[in-house]
Each structure stands twice: as structure tokens, then as C-alpha cells.
Amino acid sequence: MAREGYERHGAELYRYALARLADDAAAQDVVQETIVRAWRAGDRYDPAAASLRTWLFAIARNVVADILTARRRAAELPALVHDLRKDHMSDHSAGVADADLVTWALGLISHDHRTAIVETYLRDRSYADVAADLGVSVSTLRSRVFHGLRQLRQATSEMVTDR
């Protein structure tokens, strides 16, 4: 079924992803990930409920959403760190201090929260992929990221106010 889906709908899935992401490589990744997810979930596909095309586009929509969420979150982390900079630091020294601060703060949170943040934010991996690798649900991973970021903000704000 995955092969048939790719042969019949791959080009259309690519155009869909390209229109939403404006990135050729990311659009290709969406098609690949869509087909992989379809292959993995092939036993759950019900042709009576939806056409193969509809099912594949539902999967692709989720993959695109994961990528956009990862991009947004990746963009938020440097902003969080930037907000913690001291005005008197040079850009280079502030960058080094920021990296040290984030590294230090990551060491304060639990292993599960740290892994969730590193994999989704810093390595820019999709929630679905990370959740599958960790053997947890996507909602559990999202919760770990949410709570981990909250702990990071708290730890870094305490560190900055202590200076």
C-alpha cells in the first residue's frame, strides 16, 4: 500500500508540502515521512472510511504540522536565551555566556525533560519520531517539552537574577 501511495500520490504530496513549507528538502522529507508512517500504520487504514489519497494527505498534514511546530520552537529557544543576556556583554561573550547558561540549566532538569528538549528543539526532530524512539506517546513527549521548558525558564531566570 505504501508503494502504491507513493507512486500514485507522491508528486501531489510533494507539491502540498512545498506550498506549506517553502523548502524543497523539507517537502521531500514530508513525502518520505508520510510514506513511512503509512507503511507503519497500514493495518489501520480502512478503505471504507477514506480513500488512500485522503488518508495519505491526513498523514502529510500531521507531518507538516510537526515540522512547523519544530521550526517555531527552535526559533523560540534562542529568543529565550537572548532575553537573558546582560546589556554590557559583547555579542561573542554573551553568546558564550548564553550557551553556558543553557547547558547549566539543562543539567538541572530531569533526564526525560532534557532528552525531550534536546531532541525536539536542538536536533529539530519531529515529535512523532522522538516519541517513537523513546517509546512514549506524542502527548507524553509534548508534556515533557512543556514542563522542561518551564523548568529551564525558571532555572535561567533565577540564575540571571542571582548575578
Side-chain angles (χ1 to χ4, degrees):
M1 173 183 7
R3 178 175 289 163
E4 175 189 352
Y6 178 76
E7 289 171 356
R8 291 177 54 197
H9 305 291
E12 193 176 9
L13 289 166
Y14 169 78
R15 288 190 300 274
Y16 168 81
L18 185 61
R20 272 132 194 93
L21 300 173
D23 180 343
D24 177 65
Q28 290 176 31
D29 289 345
V30 167
V31 174
Q32 179 181 352
E33 181 64 20
T34 298
I35 299 304
V36 167
R37 289 185 189 186
W39 176 73
R40 287 180 182 160
D43 60 327
R44 293 189 306 237
Y45 170 62
D46 180 7
S51 69
L52 178 59
R53 180 185 182 279
T54 300
W55 187 61
L56 289 172
F57 270 87
I59 295 170
R61 184 181 65 242
N62 291 334
V63 175
V64 167
D66 287 346
I67 290 172
L68 292 173
T69 299
R71 284 181 180 176
R72 180 179 50 79
R73 290 182 179 219
E76 289 172 0
L77 191 57
L80 169 68
V81 171
H82 177 74
D83 290 344
L84 302 173
R85 292 167 106 169
K86 293 278 190 181
D87 291 338
H88 67 278
M89 293 180 154
S90 71
D91 283 345
H92 177 71
S93 64
V96 170
D98 291 346
D100 286 346
L101 180 61
V102 170
T103 301
W104 171 81
L106 282 169
L108 294 178
I109 64 176
S110 74
H111 172 72
D112 289 343
H113 291 115
R114 181 174 48 253
T115 300
I117 291 169
V118 168
E119 293 299 319
T120 57
Y121 272 84
L122 302 179
R123 294 191 175 147
D124 196 23
R125 296 181 60 210
S126 75
Y127 279 82
D129 288 345
V130 175
D133 286 351
L134 296 176
V136 299
S137 69
V138 172
S139 60
T140 297
L141 179 65
R142 288 185 190 280
S143 177
R144 288 178 183 177
V145 169
F146 174 81
H147 292 290
L149 287 174
R150 189 176 68 200
Q151 291 172 3
L152 274 179
R153 284 185 194 99
Q154 182 180 2
T156 55
S157 68
E158 289 172 2
M159 179 65 174
V160 170
T161 56
D162 290 345
R163 286 183 179 179

